[in-house]
Amino acid sequence: MRRAFAALATALGALSLLLTLTTGPSLATPPNIPSASTAASRLASLTVAAESHQSTYNRDLFPHWITVSGACNTREQVLKRDGSGVVTDSSCASVSGSWYSPYDGATWHAASDVDIDHMVPLAEAWRSGAWAWTTAQRQAYANDLGGPELWAVTDNVNQAKGDQDPTTWKPSLTSFWCTYARAWIQVKWYYGLTLQSGEKSALTTMLGYC
């Protein structure tokens, strides 16, 4: 619990420094990642169901990278939150800094090498129940800075993940599997999304690394 509050304080502090220099090592992580025991309890409560509406998915149904504050959109906000020594220009674009990608352990020094990953991909959310949401609800999901949905990661790793769930894709760093599973479960639980039986088994295995 203490670790979760510390992470939340770090994230909120970064958000308040919109155009300033962040010094020191980057310890930022998305907020509200549950403990392993809480995640296991929430995983058990999720509804297991077959996915549906795959053919009607369209990424445009999830308006994302909306303006969050001043000139800053959601992507830029995450880059500042999760980077180290990040300097932004008057348009809120990151002109220098470094970003550690927890999925693969790589560190990048150009924002163009970093993607903002949706922990539970938009297409996966759609298949798991977001097809029934309003556009406003999907916009809120796609730009959620209040939970562990958005992560700054290596661009080609994010592209390799695509819209896969943990049944078919996991981070290459097994040391991150515990955090990944806890974050994935939190997003699905918070938004009332379903999961498949194979997905549940994969997440249970990943929690075993905690």
Side-chain angles (χ1 to χ4, degrees):
M1 181 65 71
R2 185 179 304 168
R3 186 182 306 168
F5 279 121
L8 178 57
T10 300
L12 292 175
L15 287 177
S16 68
L17 301 175
L18 294 181
L19 298 174
T20 61
L21 176 65
T22 301
T23 60
S26 175
L27 301 176
T29 188
N32 293 323
I33 300 173
S35 67
S37 59
T38 298
S41 176
R42 290 176 179 175
L43 176 61
S45 74
L46 291 174
T47 299
V48 175
E51 294 178 343
S52 64
H53 293 77
Q54 291 94 325
S55 64
T56 57
Y57 170 72
N58 187 318
R59 190 172 176 83
D60 292 340
L61 294 168
F62 290 81
H64 55 286
W65 307 165
I66 61 171
T67 300
V68 176
S69 176
C72 302
N73 66 28
T74 313
R75 169 184 163 81
E76 293 157 347
Q77 207 75 306
V78 175
L79 287 173
K80 290 189 298 171
R81 180 191 72 187
D82 294 349
S84 178
V86 178
V87 176
T88 58
D89 62 18
S90 60
S91 299
C92 203
S94 296
V95 295
S96 65
S98 64
W99 292 268
Y100 172 78
S101 170
Y103 291 5
D104 59 335
T107 297
W108 302 98
H109 298 278
S112 58
D113 290 322
V114 179
D115 277 359
I116 306 305
D117 177 50
H118 289 92
M119 171 59 64
V120 176
L122 303 182
E124 166 68 17
W126 176 268
R127 299 188 297 259
S128 303
W131 57 267
W133 296 352
T134 65
T135 299
Q137 288 173 316
R138 289 192 289 267
Q139 176 174 295
Y141 177 88
N143 298 276
D144 183 5
L145 292 166
E149 169 66 345
L150 301 176
W151 295 76
V153 301
T154 303
D155 55 2
N156 61 352
V157 172
N158 179 49
Q159 291 153 24
K161 173 184 173 181
D163 65 353
Q164 299 178 82
D165 69 32
T167 308
T168 54
W169 191 91
K170 300 177 181 66
S172 60
L173 287 183
T174 55
S175 59
F176 188 66
W177 283 12
C178 169
T179 301
Y180 192 89
R182 288 156 52 211
W184 183 285
I185 292 165
Q186 173 64 18
V187 173
K188 285 238 163 168
W189 174 82
Y190 184 82
Y191 285 98
L193 298 171
T194 63
L195 79 171
Q196 298 174 285
S197 59
E199 179 185 349
K200 184 174 184 177
S201 295
L203 290 165
T204 300
T205 298
M206 294 174 80
L207 285 178
Y209 283 75
C210 295

